[in-house]
Amino acid sequence: MKSTFSFLFALLLTVATTAHSQNSDLPSAERKNSVFLELGGSALWYSVNYERKISLASIHRLTVGAGMSVMPPTKNVNVLGLASVNYLLGKMHNLEIGGSAGNMLFPVSERDTHILSCRLGYRYEGNSGFQFRAGLLPLIGPFKGVPDIDFTPTYYMPFAYVSFGYSF
């Protein structure tokens, strides 16, 4: 797992530094792509994510994204795939409202593991490209097959997230 995390982090840095040289003069509201490392959140431990922004108006934007997380090792590899949609209100300092859905790509048990979440948070996107996000989200759904978590089939669990990344 350590080598997988190192590879994903190196990939994130490579994309961020390459993109910086192409769009360094864009204001934060005009940067269309983001890559970030999220701690906590929909993936429970961490995830590496990509987002594409769609402008609706001067301070209204939607983001559509995908992410991936490799869960702590057990007998099998646990890879969680995530898809998300967020609404952003603001230019540099944003209110973030959205949701995400996750599914184990290689489920440990015969029953797939699905995770749903709603998101309410704060997002900062600096003109230099730095991106910071933090907020709260309830996790909804069964966690069958995820190590150390064995809840009833439907439940709500309050959770938080923080992420650091780069917009380009």
Side-chain angles (χ1 to χ4, degrees):
M1 182 174 118
K2 191 174 186 179
S3 62
T4 303
F5 179 74
S6 299
F7 170 75
L8 293 174
F9 188 71
L11 181 64
L12 175 73
L13 288 177
T14 302
V15 170
T17 55
T18 303
H20 178 61
S21 64
Q22 297 172 357
N23 294 319
S24 61
D25 58 340
L26 288 177
S28 63
E30 294 180 23
R31 296 174 187 267
K32 300 293 183 197
N33 302 294
S34 295
V35 290
F36 55 91
L37 174 68
E38 183 174 76
L39 304 173
S42 301
L44 299 177
W45 291 275
Y46 72 93
S47 62
V48 176
N49 301 276
Y50 167 80
E51 278 186 337
R52 176 75 177 175
K53 295 180 193 101
I54 302 164
S55 295
L56 303 175
S58 64
I59 62 169
H60 303 278
R61 292 173 287 155
L62 284 178
T63 67
V64 178
M68 179 184 122
S69 177
V70 178
M71 302 292 193
T74 59
K75 293 179 186 176
N76 300 323
V77 175
N78 297 317
V79 178
L80 179 68
L82 298 163
S84 65
V85 175
N86 295 306
Y87 167 73
L88 302 178
L89 177 61
K91 289 189 177 183
M92 186 177 286
H93 301 276
N94 299 275
L95 171 66
E96 181 177 50
I97 301 169
S100 62
N103 191 38
M104 295 298 278
L105 301 178
F106 304 105
V108 177
S109 65
E110 292 180 11
R111 183 177 176 190
D112 288 342
T113 301
H114 305 284
I115 300 171
L116 299 174
S117 64
C118 301
R119 170 181 318 270
L120 178 62
Y122 166 77
R123 179 187 296 220
Y124 170 79
E125 294 178 348
N127 286 331
S128 66
F130 174 74
Q131 178 181 344
F132 171 78
R133 299 168 58 235
L136 301 172
L137 69 158
L139 296 174
I140 306 162
F143 284 97
K144 298 292 184 188
V146 178
D148 301 325
I149 298 176
D150 190 15
F151 291 105
T152 57
T154 303
Y155 70 92
Y156 301 93
M157 183 172 94
F159 216 63
Y161 67 93
V162 63
S163 74
F164 303 92
Y166 186 76
S167 294
F168 54 98

